[in-house]
Amino acid sequence: GSVRLASMKSEFVSAVSHELKTPLVTIRLVGDTLARGRYASPEAIQDYARMLSEEAAKLSQSIDHLLTYARYSEELPRSAASMVPVSDIVEDAVERFRTTMTTRGSRLEVDVPADLPQAFVDGRAVSQAIEILIDNALKYSLDPAAITIRARNEGAFVRLTVSDRGIGIHEDDLARVQERFFRGRNAPANGSGLGLAIADRIVRQNGGELRMDSTLGVGTDAHLLLRTERA
């Protein structure tokens, strides 16, 4: 038990270090270049500024993910849960991607019927889980990406599906993508493999379930089952 726990902590620290150091290295290099005036033209300054902004956003997202992972590492009482409109949860998640998707020419379609029952969840945390799924969909898609978010009533649950038409996940990897630090054989170069593990943990500790369906070369569907009744 204690040996396994020590090993898991060591893996965690290693993954966290990589996740935080990568954007920091770029930020430091770009900062040094600008500080020393080592750029060819005024246009180059804009490119460097954009790089700083993008890397700082990655760093911010990584820190959010890691804090959420730490928060959900223990069994939490569901004191943060309340009845929340599913449309509000989705809107909070989508808002962060609007600028990026417009810049990339990507399309995001949201289909959340107005008459859906509310979900009994920690709305902010579930919204972060959806952010992770949208982020993954973008990473696995070629530009311009086409992503759809649909919600449907299923008895005591609302099924929320984030679909992409990306490169898909290999069948042998599908059963393991929600494990901590696991990265599929065709995963993009950036990322620690923590994202889906965090999303899975958030959803499970809110009384729901995360299921992944994918076909190589066709795309991926991530299904979130959100409880609509107080447990």
Side-chain angles (χ1 to χ4, degrees):
S2 60
V3 174
R4 182 169 170 271
L5 187 62
S7 168
M8 282 166 62
K9 281 182 180 173
S10 170
E11 278 178 34
F12 183 71
V13 169
S14 171
V16 168
S17 300
H18 176 74
E19 183 95 351
L20 300 181
K21 269 184 180 173
T22 308
L24 271 177
V25 168
T26 307
I27 289 169
R28 188 171 177 181
L29 284 172
V30 172
D32 285 350
T33 302
L34 289 171
R36 292 174 183 177
R38 292 181 176 173
Y39 44 84
S41 66
E43 289 75 25
I45 297 177
Q46 281 190 317
D47 289 339
Y48 281 129
R50 182 180 44 76
M51 283 173 70
L52 283 176
S53 179
E54 286 174 359
E55 294 302 314
K58 281 183 197 171
L59 194 57
S60 177
Q61 184 186 11
S62 295
I63 291 167
D64 278 352
H65 284 184
L66 295 166
L67 289 173
T68 303
Y69 188 83
R71 182 175 161 226
Y72 275 83
S73 288
E74 304 298 328
E75 287 294 326
L76 287 179
R78 291 181 63 208
S79 55
S82 61
M83 301 304 290
V84 191
V86 175
S87 56
D88 287 1
I89 298 172
V90 173
E91 186 56 38
D92 283 351
V94 165
E95 192 56 41
R96 196 172 68 76
F97 295 93
R98 290 203 192 280
T99 307
T100 311
M101 296 196 74
T102 304
T103 307
R104 289 172 55 168
S106 300
R107 197 176 81 249
L108 178 63
E109 181 188 324
V110 178
D111 176 10
V112 180
D115 59 351
L116 275 182
Q118 295 188 342
F120 182 64
V121 293
D122 174 348
R124 179 67 202 103
V126 171
S127 184
Q128 192 166 1
I130 297 166
E131 284 179 21
I132 289 168
L133 298 178
I134 296 171
D135 193 46
N136 264 22
L138 284 170
K139 280 180 186 168
Y140 280 88
S141 296
L142 300 173
D143 284 341
I147 296 169
T148 306
I149 302 176
R150 287 191 182 85
R152 295 291 180 265
N153 187 13
E154 289 192 8
F157 293 90
V158 164
R159 178 191 291 265
L160 193 72
T161 304
V162 179
S163 303
D164 66 58
R165 293 194 219 138
I167 59 176
I169 301 166
H170 198 282
E171 189 179 0
D172 296 344
D173 294 338
L174 204 52
R176 298 193 59 204
V177 289
Q178 285 154 242
E179 291 177 19
R180 238 172 15 149
F181 313 133
F182 179 80
R183 303 190 64 242
R185 65 199 71 192
N186 62 342
N190 55 331
S192 64
L194 269 177
L196 279 181
I198 294 170
D200 185 57
R201 176 163 285 180
I202 288 171
V203 176
R204 277 191 291 112
Q205 290 195 247
N206 276 278
E209 192 179 342
L210 172 61
R211 299 174 187 166
M212 305 290 293
D213 292 328
S214 189
T215 307
L216 268 185
V218 176
T220 301
D221 294 329
H223 304 283
L224 282 178
L225 293 174
L226 303 176
R227 187 183 290 279
T228 57
E229 297 169 3
R230 294 170 188 271

